């Protein structure tokens, strides 16, 4: 008898389980596919990093992309495994526009026995005009498979 | 000195160390929680980002007084290495300006809990600097 595997549902995960820092930032579900997920970060004056311009700090964008890429790994697996971010690099292509919601898309493009390779972009309305690009790796101590 | 995002993270400046680049302290709590019982990697990164900017402001102020210290600082990129999980205790971070050029600054920051020699995370950042 085959036991049905646990299917990872990012929308349900974020509805019931997105507490902590994600909730503090107002992060929520936007969309997902087979190996990618999009989260939304609404503009908040509490997240301003440059008071002179009203542009939010880079930290909230990094937080969102860490979560989006992490969830993209579980989507690629179609299941949940405990894992930790090994490293994450963010290139800030341009400042986020004050007042606009930032959409972050994370993708898992390669999985090995214990390492997941991820990448993603963030935009604030036009996917063709991204404001950040990220690349990183996750590691599953007990292995992904 | 620190922007609203530092308040969101609950950051304070360690009052014991006023001469060197500021050491920032982030309390543990629900607002910076990731998986149960551990800090969110993004919150640790945000703490290091604020420490890096504080170090850069400190270096700009030391370089040329009040006018220079108003220089605008824009992030170009950040690379974060996560070394161990952040536990239920205060986290500290400090930035080190490795080069302050005319237009670009290179800054490194580490975050630790018990022992500065055993960081929980480290970051390298490049910033554009526009002097005021």
């Amino acid at each position: 008898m085959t036991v049905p595997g646990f299917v990872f549902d990012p929308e349900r995960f974020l509805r019931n389980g997105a507490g902590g820092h994600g909730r503090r930032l107002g992060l929520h579900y936007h969309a997902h596919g087979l190996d990618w997920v999009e989260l939304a970060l609404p503009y908040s004056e509490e997240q301003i990093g440059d008071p002179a311009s009203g542009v939010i700090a880079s930290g909230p964008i990094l937080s969102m992309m860490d979560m989006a890429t992490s969830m993209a790994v579980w989507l690629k697996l179609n299941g949940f495994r405990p894992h930790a971010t090994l490293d994450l690099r963010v290139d800030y292509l341009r400042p986020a526009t004050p007042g606009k919601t930032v959409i972050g898309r994370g993708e898992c493009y390669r999985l090995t026995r214990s390492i997941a390779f991820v990448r993603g972009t963030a935009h604030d309305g036009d996917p063709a005009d991204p404001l950040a690009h990220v690349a990183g790796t996750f590691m599953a101590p007990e292995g992904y498979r | 000195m620190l922007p609203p995002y530092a308040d969101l993270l609950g950051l304070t400046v360690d009052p014991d160390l006023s001469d060197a680049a500021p050491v920032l302290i982030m309390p543990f709590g629900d607002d910076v929680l990731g998986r149960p019982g551990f800090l969110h990697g993004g919150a640790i990164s945000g703490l290091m980002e604020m420490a890096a900017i504080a170090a850069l402001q400190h270096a700009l102020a030391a370089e040329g007084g009040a006018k220079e210290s108003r220089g605008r600082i824009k992030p170009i990129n950040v690379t974060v290495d996560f070394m161990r999980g952040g536990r239920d205790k205060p986290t500290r971070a400090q930035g080190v300006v490795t080069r302050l050029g005319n237009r670009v600054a290179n800054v490194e920051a580490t975050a630790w809990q018990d022992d500065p020699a055993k960081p929980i995370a480290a970051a390298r950042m490049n910033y554009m600097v526009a002097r005021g």
Side-chain angles (χ1 to χ4, degrees), chain A residues 20-21 58-59 86 88 90 92, chain B residues 30-31 33 42 49 76 78 80 82:
Chain A
H21 193 52
S58 42
L86 269 188
L88 195 65
V90 186
Y92 299 103
Chain B
D30 279 354
D31 285 353
L33 200 66
E49 178 197 359
I76 303 169
V78 55
V80 186
F82 295 98

Side-chain angles (χ1 to χ4, degrees), chain A residues 1 9 16-17 26 35 40-41 44 60 64 68 81-82 95 107 116-117 122 133:
Chain A
M1 190 184 82
D9 178 353
N16 299 323
D35 62 354
L41 175 73
S44 162
M64 171 170 65
R81 303 282 188 289
E107 174 196 354
F117 296 88
H133 180 272

Side-chain angles (χ1 to χ4, degrees), chain B residues 105-131:
Chain B
N106 303 86
V107 188
E108 295 176 357
T110 53
W112 69 91
Q113 293 194 313
D114 299 312
D115 182 355
K118 288 183 179 170
I120 63 167
R124 286 188 305 112
M125 293 109 163
N126 297 328
Y127 289 97
M128 288 286 286
V129 178
R131 289 177 170 78

Side-chain angles (χ1 to χ4, degrees), chain B residues 60 63 68 72 99-105 127-131:
Chain B
L60 285 166
E63 180 189 67
E68 295 280 348
R72 293 279 295 282
R99 180 178 180 270
L100 179 53
N102 282 328
R103 301 185 64 200
V104 172
Y127 289 97
M128 288 286 286
V129 178
R131 289 177 170 78

Side-chain angles (χ1 to χ4, degrees), chain A residues 43-67:
Chain A
Y43 182 78
S44 162
E45 291 184 353
E46 289 182 301
Q47 293 170 18
I48 290 174
D50 181 2
S53 64
V55 174
I56 61 167
S58 42
I61 293 170
L62 189 145
S63 290
M64 171 170 65
M65 298 313 295
D66 183 50
M67 282 186 71

Side-chain angles (χ1 to χ4, degrees), chain A:
Chain A
M1 190 184 82
T2 310
V3 178
F6 173 76
V7 176
F8 179 67
D9 178 353
E11 192 169 7
R12 184 162 156 261
F13 177 81
L14 281 171
R15 189 164 56 229
N16 299 323
H21 193 52
R23 173 156 53 202
R24 185 68 183 83
L25 293 175
L27 275 178
H28 59 267
Y29 172 85
H30 189 253
H32 79 279
L34 288 176
D35 62 354
W36 60 269
V37 63
E38 285 181 357
L39 305 182
L41 175 73
Y43 182 78
S44 162
E45 291 184 353
E46 289 182 301
Q47 293 170 18
I48 290 174
D50 181 2
S53 64
V55 174
I56 61 167
S58 42
I61 293 170
L62 189 145
S63 290
M64 171 170 65
M65 298 313 295
D66 183 50
M67 282 186 71
T69 50
S70 173
M71 291 168 67
V73 175
W74 297 328
L75 275 164
K76 184 141 181 136
L77 283 163
N78 206 19
F80 178 83
R81 303 282 188 289
H83 67 173
T85 320
L86 269 188
D87 86 316
L88 195 65
R89 177 203 167 95
V90 186
D91 289 319
Y92 299 103
L93 309 178
R94 63 174 177 82
T97 310
K100 284 192 172 179
T101 292
V102 179
I103 304 292
R105 182 187 179 110
E107 174 196 354
C108 176
Y109 67 93
R110 181 81 179 174
L111 259 179
T112 71
R113 188 179 297 272
S114 58
I115 305 291
F117 296 88
V118 299
R119 61 191 170 199
T121 54
H123 66 83
D124 54 11
D126 180 4
D129 182 24
L131 59 93
H133 180 272
V134 309
T137 48
F138 286 85
M139 180 175 180
E142 291 152 37
Y144 285 116
R145 43 185 149 212

